[in-house]
Amino acid sequence: MNWQQFKKNAGMLVQIEPPACQLDINSHALPDQHDDWIIEFTRDEDVISLRNTRTQKSIKLGKDHIYDFRSNPNHADDTNKHGFLILKVQIFSQGENLWLRPNARPGERINLTGLAHHQLQWTPFTEVDASAFIPPTATFANIQYRLWSDEPNIPLIIRLAINSNGAGMQELSGPSGVATQLVTEKQSFNVSLSHPKTKYELIVLGYKFER
């Protein structure tokens, strides 16, 4: 897929394949809702945000999560253009939480038969000292993250924040990605994980200054 061409679709409404899987409080799958999602671009050139028009909840997708984009002129109107996004991940939704899991093939649903879904169990924020990689005058850091677990079906979601109180928090999901994080306190940032069995790796790719 031509990413630069795709970026021209900001503001377009799309349906996603596979559809988002909605779970009830007991982690049972609910009937599919073939919702429209709005494509919104972020400060990271390789990341988009999808916002559900029904729930107004948003989730970020990396460039490597999207297999293909196809137009849907039959669903378009005078105000909005429509299309389809074929994904290499499936979005899961439970309450206010959204997260991603990779599927076997693009557009294919994840087989939930016998799937023991783990409830989100956010860990306390932990400070990451990045003074060796971020100068004192920097205000933003570009952070690459990788998430995994030795146990299957663990939700892979990470929260980055300015401090342990969760100020300036952003939530990212999926096995890997890059985030631009505001840094205001002693060249450090804080990390929380969606489950105690989630493991992570962080690399500071760079930094920038803003006055």
Side-chain angles (χ1 to χ4, degrees), residues 2-107:
N2 186 320
W3 183 251
Q4 294 304 316
Q5 184 67 29
F6 172 70
K7 288 174 66 175
K8 298 178 181 179
N9 296 319
M12 179 178 285
L13 296 174
V14 294
Q15 291 182 320
I16 57 176
E17 293 293 343
C21 179
Q22 299 182 68
L23 303 173
D24 63 18
I25 59 174
N26 297 312
S27 297
H28 298 141
L30 298 171
D32 283 344
Q33 296 272 3
H34 292 276
D35 293 328
D36 284 334
W37 300 72
I38 300 176
I39 299 173
E40 299 175 328
F41 287 94
T42 67
R43 298 171 66 173
D44 188 330
E45 292 186 357
D46 293 334
V47 175
I48 67 165
S49 177
L50 286 184
R51 177 164 53 87
N52 187 298
T53 59
R54 178 175 56 86
T55 66
Q56 296 302 309
K57 294 189 291 186
S58 297
I59 191 166
K60 292 180 179 179
L61 296 179
K63 180 167 65 173
D64 57 339
H65 295 157
I66 302 172
Y67 176 73
D68 198 9
F69 166 80
R70 299 171 191 176
S71 64
N72 185 11
N74 292 313
H75 198 44
D77 53 41
D78 293 337
T79 305
N80 299 299
K81 294 182 179 180
H82 284 254
F84 297 102
L85 277 189
I86 315 301
L87 304 180
K88 293 186 279 187
V89 295
Q90 185 163 15
I91 298 173
F92 284 80
S93 172
Q94 187 177 44
E96 294 301 311
N97 298 303
L98 296 177
W99 67 92
L100 303 173
R101 291 190 64 240
N103 48 15
R105 285 180 289 272

Side-chain angles (χ1 to χ4, degrees), residues 127-163:
E127 183 181 75
V128 176
D129 182 357
S131 58
F133 308 101
I134 305 173
T137 52
T139 48
F140 290 91
N142 294 322
I143 302 166
Q144 178 177 297
Y145 68 88
R146 187 170 74 89
L147 306 175
W148 74 97
S149 179
D150 296 330
E151 185 172 324
N153 309 323
I154 295 293
L156 301 180
I157 317 175
I158 188 171
R159 287 175 173 173
L160 301 175
I162 296 172
N163 56 35

